[in-house]
Amino acid sequence: MRREKEFRYLKLANILREQILSGYIKPGEFLLSENELCKFYGLSRTSVRKSLDELLKEGLIVKKPGQGTMVSPDLEITEKQRRILRILAPSPSFFVDNGLPVIIERFLQEHPHVDVKVLSLPSFYFWESLRTSREMGLDPDLVFVSDRQFAEMDNLDSFADLEPLLANRIPAMYPKVIQAFRRQKEIKAAPVTFSTVYLAYNPELFRRYGVPEPASAWTQSEFVNAAKKMTRDTNGDGIIDLYGISLSSSFSRWPVFALQKGISPTNPAEHPERLVETFDFLHDLLYRDRVATIHQTETHHPNSDAFVRGKTAMVLTTTLEMAGWRSEQMDFEPQVAPLPFGDNQATLLLANMLIVPTACKSADLAKEFISTALRSDVQEKMSRTAHFLSVLKHVNEQVWDRPFLESINITNRQVENSYFLHELFPDAGVMEELETEMKLFWAGLESAASFAQTLQRMIRVKSKS
């Protein structure tokens, strides 16, 4: 973990360097402030300053006391004669760091005359950044997005229909994954990896405290009992420093509890008693049984640091996040357990995908890149080396063992019972408002019944409007 932290500043230095050399931030323009860089890229001030020091040594930036950090006004950027494929991607992203390089490597082997440039921009205001880049004449050839960012797109007509490109590959893909990005007769995005949200656990902690590891059919009661046994004050200072589970306030995690309890994905307000039961259970974990710690986030990205550091025994996660953990040099190998929160074996889905702007100047290269990403051998390499799920069913069946695939709910027709967030909340604005409204609930200052009423009311208002 320490080694990973030592090199995080180099990742930011690479991101900022590419923004400068691509012309996204021009000579004489200021970079984001240190505070903003810390916030948008999830780094400490120390790491941000080390990143800036690297660019300062290279002569790319200058510091203006009392004003900020500026791209060197004297910097001259020369255009290369080779063809360039420009990919715009959000940061942070586990897939951009660990999966995208696999695709790029294969693409460059077959297109040695092309340079691939990845311009990473903060996911916090990703679409605003994309609009800015276009206004500056920097039109990307490909845009890499998550399913949530796809749902926030305000102009689908500005992206190409990929149906003709994907037609021959669709039979090998999970229908649920590809159909979620179909709009009328067009497919607007090409998923390159996906994941369900599932439960991971630390087997070392289970063994240390004599707790049986999760069985294939374990119950909610068994889950709670296990969490209780592993919630401890390990150093005797009167403060609990080990919890049974780490929860996140992110919408990409907690709705799993609701889906498991049978709440209708097409009408979350249809069963008010199940909503109350869901929120009561979350309050049980946090404030009555006190077996959970909560990470409240102002971004779309859950934070699993407590689990990675061995401070919680269980966490809801994805293969996307677990792939990123592998670079953290953890002290244990996380294992996967079936979700035990209800009788309905449903969960959330997440995906990463590529979309092609209709205004891109290298549509041929963009589509070649997507074709490369969806080749069986490339998908298999991403699964075996970077540990991402493939969007091709036969690849997952070759790479992963069946118990794992069953635990994460993608065998047989399990995946058909799971949902992307934009299927649950077609209006992304509802999620934004609910995340704000939930702050008192997560703090234990609003009851489960009260917040269930708030959620129902907001959904009714939005549906009428």
Side-chain angles (χ1 to χ4, degrees), residues 274-383:
R274 295 180 187 174
L275 278 178
V276 175
E277 182 184 352
T278 297
F279 296 131
D280 250 337
F281 180 62
L282 292 172
H283 268 182
D284 284 344
L285 297 177
L286 286 165
Y287 300 112
R288 297 187 184 98
D289 296 326
R290 298 184 180 182
V291 297
T293 183
I294 179 72
H295 174 77
Q296 292 205 50
T297 176
E298 294 182 0
T299 70
H300 303 337
H301 302 283
N303 186 320
S304 299
D305 279 356
F307 179 77
V308 171
R309 294 169 182 265
K311 294 296 184 180
T312 61
M314 293 175 280
V315 68
L316 288 175
T317 189
T318 66
T319 53
L320 305 173
E321 187 175 34
M322 282 187 73
W325 291 348
R326 294 182 182 275
S327 61
E328 298 277 0
Q329 298 185 353
M330 298 167 65
D331 296 330
F332 63 95
E333 182 68 26
Q335 299 298 312
V336 174
L339 292 166
F341 307 122
D343 296 329
N344 191 30
Q345 291 305 302
T347 186
L348 287 174
L349 292 168
L350 294 86
N352 285 333
M353 61 209 74
L354 291 163
I355 55 180
V356 181
T358 53
C360 85
K361 299 175 183 177
S362 299
D364 58 329
L365 290 180
K367 292 177 180 179
E368 278 292 319
F369 191 89
I370 291 175
S371 295
T372 300
L374 293 177
R375 283 173 42 174
S376 293
D377 59 334
V378 175
Q379 287 278 308
E380 182 176 347
K381 185 173 182 179
M382 282 195 301
S383 291

Side-chain angles (χ1 to χ4, degrees), residues 276 279 441 445-457:
V276 175
F279 296 131
F441 167 80
L445 301 176
E446 182 177 13
S447 70
S450 174
F451 183 70
Q453 291 176 352
T454 298
L455 185 146
Q456 289 174 287
R457 183 177 64 253

Side-chain angles (χ1 to χ4, degrees), residues 120-171:
S120 295
L121 300 172
S123 58
F124 192 78
Y125 58 104
F126 183 71
W127 291 115
E128 179 183 338
S129 299
L130 175 59
R131 284 190 290 271
T132 300
S133 70
R134 284 177 163 175
E135 291 169 1
M136 297 166 58
L138 298 172
D139 283 319
D141 302 301
L142 280 168
V143 182
F144 178 84
V145 294
S146 67
D147 59 284
R148 180 156 179 173
Q149 287 158 341
F150 177 87
E152 294 170 349
M153 290 167 58
D154 55 9
N155 187 6
L156 283 174
D157 292 337
S158 62
F159 295 93
D161 174 22
L162 300 178
E163 168 82 35
L165 177 67
L166 301 178
N168 292 333
R169 293 173 173 80
I170 289 175

Side-chain angles (χ1 to χ4, degrees), residues 71-89:
V71 177
S72 176
D74 301 324
L75 183 65
E76 294 185 4
I77 302 173
T78 57
E79 288 289 333
K80 291 187 177 182
Q81 298 303 312
R82 294 160 56 84
R83 292 194 71 183
I84 298 176
L85 177 70
R86 292 182 172 86
I87 304 176
L88 193 66

